[in-house]
Amino acid sequence: MSDLPMPSSQTLEPEPAQHGSTALLEWLQGWLVTVDHKRLGILYILYSIFFLLVAGAEAMLIRIQLAVPNNHFLTAQVYNRYFTMHGTTMVFLVGMPILFGFGNYIVPLQIGARDMAFPRLNALSFWLTAFGGLLLYYSFLGGSGLYGVGNAPDVGWFAYAPLTARTFSPGNATDYWALALIVSGFGTLGAAVNIIATTFSMRCRGMTLMRMPLFTWLYLVVSGLTLVTITPLTAAQFMLLIDRYLGGHFFDTQAGGSALVWVHFFWIFGHPEVYVLVLPAFAIANEIIPVFSRKAIFGYPAMVAASVGIMFVSLGVWAHHMFTVGMTSVTNAFFVLSTMLVGIPTGIKIFNWIATIWGGRVRFQVPMLFCLAFLYQFLIAGLTGIMLSVAPLDWQLHNSYFVIAHFHYVLVGAIVFCIFAGLYYWYPKATGRMMSERLGKWHFWLFVIGFHITFDTMHFLGILGMPRSIYTYQPDRGWNTLNMVISLGGFIQAIAVLIFAYNFIVSYFRGDEAGDDPWDAWTLEWTTSSPPPVYNFAEEPEVRSRRPLWDLKHPHDTDWEYEG
Amino acid sequence: MSTATRVMHSAPEQVWKLPSRGRVGMLSLIIGEAALFTIFVVAYIFYIGKSLTGPTPAQVLEVPILGTICLLSSSFTIWRSEHAIEHGKMRAFSGWLAATILLGVVFMVGTAIEWQKLIFRDGLTIRTNLFGTTFYSLVGLHATHVVLGLSMLSIVLVLSLLGRFSASQSERFAVIALYWHFVDVVWVVVFTVVYVIGR
Amino acid sequence: MRRVSTMTGWRVLSALAGLSLFAGLSGIAAAAETAGSIPDMMVPSATPAHQIFSLTLFVLLITGSIFVVVAGLLTVAIFRFRSRNSGTIVEPPQIYGSTQVELAWTVVPILIVAVLFLTTARIIFAIQDAPKPKNALDVTVVGHQFWWEFRYPSLGIVTANELHVPVSPMDRPQPTFLKLLSADVIHSFWVPQLAGKTDLIPNHANTMWIDPHTPGLYLGQCAQFCGSQHAMMLLRVYVDTPSEYAAWVKNQQKIGVQDPAVAAGRRVFETEACMNCHRVAGTAATGAFGPDLTHLMSRSTIASGATTNTPEHLREWIKDPSHYKDGALMPSMQLNDEQLNQVTAYLETLK
Ligand code: HEA
Ligand code: HEA
Ligand code: CUA
Ligand SMILES: [Cu+2]
């Protein structure tokens, strides 16, 4: 991109505000037709925060229903829709878009580029994703087609065949589910292609692969994993639609089709998918932990290798979601081993983070608080994952609340915590203002407390035999108190999230001025102004190490003298 | 800031070369597409011989030799046109490109005839049995890609005949050609699975 | 100042974590008191569940130790290296890595994984590939949306929702081998105190085995989401003493009671389409879509545990199945009050 004409900073300053509705319209248009990676990044993030509130509200309805036994707050059908929509929304409309939001905003800035490799494809990807979300939620209105109103997918986010066949799921809700995921899947694919091309082809002078910030490295890895993860899901969804619309038999057990084929295909997608979700969380932690410990990341090459290792190993472990479907003992043993192997590169990451903190000067500001809680929680989540990978234990714990606890520990305790950390960390860059530390601490502590009350307790329910996906339970099973506790914790989380939302909005207008580099950080995004100009950098930067700003700030103790 | 300038802008004389984003993007797309096809191919292989009713592949499938030869040779012709545009020979370029499109069209016509025969003579549709379902899905998915590739090539051909596609865009064309080669390679797999193993 | 408030925060956090742990543990303790009605995998009562239980303790020990070590290191790091005064900006020495240390924390986990894997594999083979003894009882379990069908091919018995198996004392084992099938979608058979779960998959027969050591009632339920009433697909396994079991088998093998006093009810049953879906052995009713009703009154619950088997519940169920189980696949047959009374009276004779 160095052949771009160098803009003089005046011509590209935002236009002075105009009057009345035209100004508003132009502002709106500016966001709707934008191809600027920063604006698209922000759109992705706002979109996901919106759906976080929606899916969170669904979770609250779930928790109200389960707070007491034999509850009639929701009917069975409505409950099933809510947990399906909660899971689907959280994974596809919160987790995926927010990760590509961060990627879009940060990756070009970190590698000193002016935009993504394909800005228009970038816009298309976002709008496809957004349209997918609309389609999914439209099912609440259009799901039952001509037969009535008020329906939504109710087959679980894993949508096991043959429950999704026309015979067992009439109406159109399941079709909306499949279509929505296909459409947003294309968006995701576009975003992944874009990030790969950007990291390979748009790096500024001097930024060799081994000098890329770890954040960008992980986005490269995650995008590569996305390519081979989302497409199998798309393929399986095509098959489902062929069955439902064209009378095909892929999953039609009456005509010799196999239900297990869907289960395999779904988890061939579904397992790598969870690493697609967690690697960006690692990416965020990789930026924040060193900056707030005031030390370079420990073992950079090992961190890169571990990420690539996780990517490859995660492609071969999917059947650990299927220990109960009756595979042979040898197959089971194989997947036990491959699953446990993931613990090794993941362990390397945890140890490297601890070693980064070790010997540093830890500053307890809000982004770091979230990352520290993440470290503890991810450790526990990983260890419960290891317990589940022990097939005989999984025969007991599969589809119980222990699994729900395990994956919320990762999805909330690791991913949502890191997302919050990232939002607090980069908010000043994107808006020019700081988020309130005081409210941030309230948010953090309430969320941590609510999180543990909710999800620690769930493990015990699983051990006591409570299956997932049930809309109510019998009062004589010893599950009553625990469920009540869990629901209370859920509400504490909700209060915390509301505080966050308030902080997020109010700080935009009233936050302190941030300056270019409020955290005293080291990567390129902090060299430009906050918010960055459309063209990002007035001059194309050039780097000689992984921490260009460290070199700048410590000219007599530069990184490039030490990095291998 | 004087240090800053020194650090950030030293050694401009070094060469700094990165791969072209078009090529990287297309390769990424191809990896994704390969995963998509893998799932369909796996499903096809898994369901071989599992249909509860006829017709079976052995009864109705004929090996599409002509179509296969055409499609595979189109990889050669497109390679020739890549070569031509790199050397600025735009007429040769258009010629080889037209040949490529022609070969692709012959392939598609072959498929159309095959499907027509299967549907109307043998009564095999996508809903007949598992073989029908997997066959039309896999071959159809590939055919969709051929059509997509043909459209892209045709646009380039029209542009180049109108003189709007110049040798300076050889890199772009190389990216499209990459896609076409991929479609060809997929056919080799589909052909082996459907007409060799599956029959 | 800020640091102090953070420290209090951490203390609050650990207190809370302790509290919720305590709540959970006391939940388990409470459960243990009334063991039998609580499907607690930590109170095993058959060999597969026992083996899993011991393995669980072993795995808990290993993962627990990893947690203590790693979380301990992390906590020490955070406390020891917290920034003491936020004013000055003296950066700590920068360390970029260390090959020895990194090698160590790669090798140790590899060893742990090796141990875990070998132990796991042993139990997998022990449970999954256990040989089937000659005297084993065979039962075929068929999952239906949203109820269980149990067939005893060697005994000629068909029943629903409540499985009866003989006790299998350690010295004279008599295990029961279950063949798992499905009539529609995927279900999963789970009675935690007896064994882990195994799925019931259409077109794909699975097997599992149990050898319950102590007589009694064991609860479980369907563990794979299978549609609207997945929650009410409950399971009861009665482990009978030899004499109880023999008596139960004897009764189940009889044909349906033919009591002339309820002939009117039987007529309703046979004319109002009930018999299209239900079977009563020895009568014209041979339907297979719903549960076999030949010995309905020998069961303590109806509709797969949705409610207890009392005359009022039975009447209400037939009047409107969605009252107890909204989404159950039995339609309301729109009987008038008289027909309802008659058919209920008839069903009540089916002992
Ligand atoms: C981001 C999400 C995420 C992540 C990162 C993980 C990580 C892991 N998960 Fe999890 N998982 C889910 C999300 C995630 N999971 C979801 C959503 C489901 C349920 C889906 C559904 O059914 O709806 C699920 C379900 C699930 C199952 C199936 C349960 C069932 O349905 O029966 C299993 C079984 O093996 C499993 C295992 C693991 C393992 C071994 C890891 C490992 O990656 C963990 C590795 C980390 C560590 C081990 C800790 C750190 C390591 C050390 C300190 C080194 C020393 C340790 C050792 C040597 C052991 N997961
Ligand atoms: C990123 C993923 C993610 C996240 C963040 C969460 C967050 C939460 N989840 Fe979720 N969950 C899943 C992913 C996630 N979940 C998945 C994949 C499933 C499986 C689905 C399936 O089986 O198909 C699942 C299933 C699941 C179940 C099991 C349902 C069942 O099997 O029957 C439960 C039950 O308690 C639950 C609870 C919660 C709770 C209490 C939270 C809390 O952390 C939520 C905190 C609250 C909020 C974030 C909202 C706060 C805001 C408001 C209340 C205001 C609303 C205002 C407006 C809308 C304007 N989840
Ligand atoms: Cu049957 Cu759930
Ligand atoms: Cu997994």
Side-chain angles (χ1 to χ4, degrees):
Chain A
M1 294 312 293
S2 51
D3 56 344
L4 269 186
M6 202 64 76
S8 81
S9 52
Q10 248 131 35
T11 51
L12 281 164
E13 282 306 306
E15 316 250 310
Q18 293 172 5
H19 302 288
S21 57
T22 36
L24 187 71
L25 277 178
E26 271 180 24
W27 175 84
L28 199 67
Q29 197 200 3
W31 282 91
L32 288 182
V33 302
T34 183
V35 294
D36 175 20
H37 73 98
K38 296 183 290 302
R39 288 198 159 188
L40 286 167
I42 290 174
L43 284 176
Y44 267 117
I45 289 174
L46 293 179
Y47 170 85
S48 341
I49 292 180
F50 169 73
F51 274 114
L52 176 70
L53 292 181
V54 173
E58 282 159 355
M60 293 302 107
L61 294 170
I62 290 176
R63 284 323 314 173
I64 295 174
Q65 166 66 16
L66 291 179
V68 290
N70 277 339
N71 197 355
H72 292 293
F73 173 69
L74 302 177
T75 65
Q77 289 81 356
V78 171
Y79 180 90
N80 296 342
R81 283 174 211 152
Y82 281 152
F83 86 74
T84 304
M85 290 297 268
H86 165 73
T88 310
T89 310
M90 283 292 193
V91 171
F92 294 100
L93 308 186
V94 179
M96 299 292 279
I98 208 162
L99 95 229
F100 281 111
F102 275 110
N104 252 303
Y105 199 96
I106 308 298
V107 166
L109 284 171
Q110 274 198 338
I111 60 174
R114 292 236 159 94
D115 205 325
M116 298 280 275
F118 311 108
R120 269 173 298 179
L121 173 65
N122 203 12
L124 177 70
S125 305
F126 170 74
W127 291 107
L128 280 176
T129 309
F131 182 62
L134 263 175
L135 210 55
L136 185 64
Y137 271 81
Y138 180 72
S139 70
F140 269 112
L141 297 178
S144 41
L146 300 174
Y147 303 101
V149 284
N151 202 335
D154 55 358
V155 288
W157 85 287
F158 36 76
Y160 275 9
L163 188 58
T164 46
R166 274 241 178 270
T167 335
F168 303 108
S169 294
N172 299 104
T174 310
D175 306 315
Y176 280 104
W177 180 82
L179 272 175
L181 297 195
I182 289 178
V183 171
S184 67
F186 281 129
T188 309
L189 193 63
V193 167
N194 217 337
I195 289 188
I196 296 181
T198 307
T199 42
F200 269 119
S201 310
M202 312 283 286
R203 279 167 286 135
C204 67
R205 276 183 160 274
M207 185 166 290
T208 57
L209 281 181
M210 286 318 269
R211 282 188 198 151
M212 271 193 330
L214 271 182
F215 180 94
T216 303
W217 244 115
L218 264 86
Y219 265 85
L220 177 59
V221 171
V222 104
S223 305
L225 190 57
T226 306
L227 290 182
V228 292
T229 297
I230 284 290
T231 35
L233 177 70
T234 308
Q237 305 280 23
F238 275 136
M239 293 178 189
L240 179 60
L241 288 180
I242 289 173
D243 273 13
R244 286 180 63 91
Y245 277 102
L246 304 177
H249 306 291
F250 280 110
F251 312 119
D252 177 1
T253 48
Q254 308 294 314
S258 161
L260 278 182
V261 165
W262 170 272
V263 182
H264 275 289
F265 286 171
F266 185 83
W267 291 116
I268 284 176
F269 147 78
H271 182 82
E273 166 71 10
V274 304
Y275 292 97
V276 166
L277 291 172
V278 86
L279 287 174
F282 292 170
I284 293 171
N286 279 335
E287 290 302 304
I288 293 177
I289 292 177
V291 167
F292 288 84
S293 307
R294 310 308 306 156
K295 261 182 78 218
I297 191 89
F298 191 92
Y300 175 98
M303 287 299 245
V304 171
S307 311
V308 177
I310 290 178
M311 174 176 94
F312 281 111
V313 179
S314 76
L315 292 175
V317 306
W318 75 89
H320 67 216
H321 296 269
M322 304 172 57
F323 286 139
T324 64
V325 304
M327 300 182 295
T328 63
S329 44
V330 176
T331 318
N332 278 335
F334 170 82
F335 282 102
V336 169
L337 182 60
S338 66
T339 303
M340 285 178 178
L341 286 179
V342 181
I344 294 164
T346 317
I348 292 179
K349 283 179 168 286
I350 300 237
F351 296 128
N352 278 335
W353 283 319
I354 298 180
T356 305
I357 296 174
W358 199 274
R361 299 226 201 301
V362 182
R363 292 200 217 137
F364 295 101
Q365 278 152 310
V366 176
M368 185 61 168
L369 289 180
F370 275 101
C371 280
L372 291 178
F374 149 78
L375 286 178
Y376 285 98
Q377 285 151 196
F378 182 66
L379 174 64
I380 298 177
L383 293 173
T384 55
I386 294 293
M387 295 176 69
L388 288 171
S389 73
V390 175
L393 260 70
D394 188 71
W395 294 336
Q396 288 285 15
L397 296 171
H398 174 65
N399 277 354
S400 77
Y401 264 77
F402 193 92
V403 173
I404 304 277
H406 157 70
F407 73 70
H408 281 88
Y409 241 86
V410 213
L411 293 174
V412 184
I415 297 171
V416 173
F417 268 71
C418 281
I419 286 175
F420 282 139
L423 288 172
Y424 281 96
Y425 183 66
W426 279 295
Y427 189 89
K429 179 50 58 186
T431 64
R433 290 179 187 269
M434 307 294 290
M435 279 175 82
S436 154
E437 276 282 303
R438 199 174 50 84
L439 286 177
K441 291 225 160 96
W442 273 100
H443 167 207
F444 172 73
W445 287 110
L446 280 175
F447 201 60
V448 166
I449 291 167
F451 169 84
H452 284 280
I453 293 181
T454 304
F455 297 114
D456 295 7
T457 317
M458 277 189 188
H459 292 98
F460 298 105
L461 266 187
I463 290 171
L464 292 179
M466 177 156 164
R468 68 196 278 193
S469 324
I470 57 173
Y471 73 98
T472 193
Y473 50 93
Q474 309 295 303
D476 64 351
R477 310 267 158 141
W479 303 337
N480 306 2
T481 325
L482 296 180
N483 268 304
M484 180 56 93
V485 170
I486 292 174
S487 297
L488 288 177
F491 279 94
I492 301 181
Q493 290 180 63
I495 297 172
V497 173
L498 288 180
I499 294 179
F500 163 78
Y502 175 82
N503 194 358
F504 193 82
I505 295 169
V506 168
S507 298
Y508 184 74
F509 302 103
R510 290 207 238 122
D512 299 339
E513 292 283 340
D516 291 355
D517 182 15
W519 311 112
D520 195 0
W522 301 313
T523 37
L524 281 180
E525 74 267 31
W526 306 103
T527 55
T528 179
S529 64
S530 307
V534 192
Y535 46 87
N536 290 352
F537 301 98
E539 294 172 77
E540 196 193 345
E542 171 165 357
V543 301
R544 294 182 62 184
S545 81
R546 289 167 204 148
R547 297 192 298 171
L549 261 78
W550 171 275
D551 299 341
L552 253 180
K553 292 167 186 169
H554 305 270
H556 304 298
D557 181 25
T558 52
D559 264 2
W560 71 70
E561 297 165 36
Y562 300 98
E563 281 172 3
Chain B
M1 276 316 273
S2 62
T3 24
T5 333
R6 182 177 64 79
V7 171
M8 312 271 291
H9 298 284
S10 59
E13 66 283 353
Q14 274 175 328
V15 258
W16 182 244
K17 196 154 162 36
L18 293 170
S20 106
R21 58 189 160 155
R23 227 173 248 268
V24 175
M26 182 51 81
L27 279 174
S28 311
L29 185 71
I30 285 175
I31 293 176
E33 292 262 38
L36 186 84
F37 274 104
T38 307
I39 295 294
F40 274 91
V41 167
V42 167
Y44 193 93
I45 295 177
F46 179 82
Y47 282 132
I48 288 176
K50 295 229 168 54
S51 296
L52 300 185
T53 57
T56 64
Q59 287 164 346
V60 294
L61 280 193
E62 284 159 26
V63 182
I65 295 189
L66 177 67
T68 305
I69 292 176
C70 286
L71 196 63
L72 294 188
S73 35
S74 76
S75 252
F76 171 77
T77 53
I78 202 166
W79 173 69
R80 289 309 306 163
S81 58
E82 273 178 84
H83 191 78
I85 194 171
E86 266 167 37
H87 292 80
K89 299 180 192 146
M90 290 312 285
R91 291 196 45 152
F93 167 73
S94 303
W96 284 114
L97 184 55
T100 309
I101 295 174
L102 191 72
L103 290 169
V105 168
V106 172
F107 172 81
M108 282 311 297
V109 170
T111 306
I113 295 173
E114 180 193 29
W115 284 28
Q116 199 215 358
K117 187 178 71 67
L118 285 175
I119 294 171
F120 295 106
R121 197 191 70 188
D122 305 317
L124 179 78
T125 68
I126 199 163
R127 42 193 339 151
T128 309
N129 59 11
L130 268 169
F131 163 54
T133 304
T134 49
F135 172 81
Y136 288 110
S137 310
L138 179 57
V139 177
L141 184 71
H142 178 261
T144 317
H145 281 75
V146 176
V147 172
L148 214 74
L150 282 178
S151 330
M152 288 195 292
L153 294 180
S154 311
I155 293 174
V156 175
L157 182 62
V158 171
L159 287 180
S160 100
L161 291 180
L162 293 177
R164 300 265 189 84
F165 202 86
S166 66
S168 64
Q169 277 156 304
S170 69
E171 179 65 31
R172 273 201 191 171
F173 184 72
V175 170
I176 297 178
L178 203 58
Y179 178 83
W180 189 255
H181 289 307
F182 166 71
V183 171
D184 262 9
V185 171
V186 170
W187 179 251
V188 175
V189 175
V190 172
F191 180 84
T192 315
V193 166
V194 174
Y195 297 96
V196 180
I197 302 175
R199 224 158 61 98
Chain C
M1 271 339 272
R2 179 179 293 161
R3 197 186 77 237
V4 174
S5 71
T6 315
M7 300 266 296
T8 4
W10 284 111
R11 234 169 261 143
V12 175
L13 174 65
S14 43
L16 267 154
L19 211 70
S20 63
L21 200 70
F22 178 75
L25 287 175
S26 52
I28 291 200
E33 274 169 35
T34 40
S37 82
I38 290 169
D40 182 353
M41 63 175 269
M42 297 302 203
V43 188
S45 196
T47 305
H50 253 297
Q51 288 178 323
I52 296 178
F53 173 65
S54 325
L55 183 62
T56 307
L57 296 184
F58 177 73
V59 173
L60 264 177
L61 183 75
I62 293 202
T63 50
S65 319
I66 298 179
F67 174 74
V68 169
V69 172
V70 180
L73 278 173
L74 178 56
T75 310
V76 170
I78 294 173
F79 275 89
R80 224 178 111 189
F81 300 103
R82 65 189 186 277
S83 138
R84 277 158 221 272
N85 49 20
S86 36
T88 52
I89 3 164
V90 186
E91 304 279 20
Q94 302 295 307
I95 296 154
Y96 299 89
S98 148
T99 315
Q100 289 99 331
V101 187
E102 291 181 53
L103 206 64
W105 66 49
T106 311
V107 171
V108 173
I110 291 179
L111 297 179
I112 300 178
V113 164
V115 172
L116 268 178
F117 168 67
L118 292 175
T119 333
T120 306
R122 201 173 58 89
I123 304 287
I124 292 180
F125 291 111
I127 295 177
Q128 234 187 310
D129 299 345
K132 178 171 167 182
K134 282 240 156 36
N135 69 337
L137 171 68
D138 279 305
V139 180
T140 303
V141 183
V142 187
H144 295 259
Q145 274 184 324
F146 308 101
W147 60 282
W148 305 91
E149 176 182 346
F150 300 117
R151 302 171 163 272
Y152 297 65
S154 54
L155 302 172
I157 296 175
V158 179
T159 181
N161 297 335
E162 300 183 2
L163 175 67
H164 284 254
V165 298
V167 68
S168 168
M170 308 261 207
D171 45 347
R172 277 173 298 103
Q174 204 214 334
T176 303
F177 273 67
L178 306 175
K179 181 176 179 195
L180 306 171
L181 308 171
S182 167
D184 36 48
V185 302
I186 306 185
H187 305 271
S188 191
F189 185 97
W190 188 28
V191 183
Q193 286 176 276
L194 301 182
K197 61 181 74 63
T198 310
D199 296 350
L200 298 84
I201 301 169
N203 267 353
H204 177 99
N206 275 333
T207 50
M208 65 180 278
W209 61 278
I210 51 177
D211 60 341
H213 301 318
T214 27
L217 167 64
Y218 297 91
L219 298 180
Q221 71 190 77
C222 176
Q224 176 60 54
F225 181 67
C226 53
S228 60
Q229 277 297 344
H230 157 68
M232 284 295 187
M233 192 165 163
L234 308 182
L235 249 175
R236 300 165 81 82
V237 177
Y238 288 91
V239 175
D240 295 337
T241 60
S243 58
E244 283 169 355
Y245 180 68
W248 180 82
V249 168
K250 192 147 173 272
N251 184 49
Q252 294 291 316
Q253 284 174 329
K254 291 191 202 136
I255 58 163
V257 176
Q258 319 265 344
D259 188 345
V262 291
R266 183 172 159 190
R267 208 167 315 113
V268 174
F269 193 84
E270 289 173 1
T271 53
E272 290 294 330
C274 309
M275 65 173 214
N276 290 348
C277 297
H278 294 284
R279 189 177 88 112
V280 177
T283 74
T286 53
F289 185 74
D292 187 305
L293 300 180
T294 315
H295 301 283
L296 174 65
M297 297 320 281
S298 70
R299 306 203 271 269
S300 60
T301 60
I302 54 173
S304 187
T307 186
T308 48
N309 189 357
T310 66
E312 305 86 78
H313 290 168
L314 209 51
R315 188 176 185 280
E316 186 61 40
W317 166 261
I318 297 162
K319 186 166 161 227
D320 178 16
S322 69
H323 179 81
Y324 293 114
K325 205 168 171 180
D326 187 13
L329 294 188
M330 166 159 153
S332 162
M333 303 304 293
Q334 315 289 351
L335 304 185
N336 60 35
D337 277 359
E338 198 195 335
Q339 288 173 312
L340 269 176
N341 292 338
Q342 289 169 338
V343 81
T344 313
Y346 167 60
L347 292 180
E348 274 170 57
T349 63
L350 298 175
K351 294 270 186 324

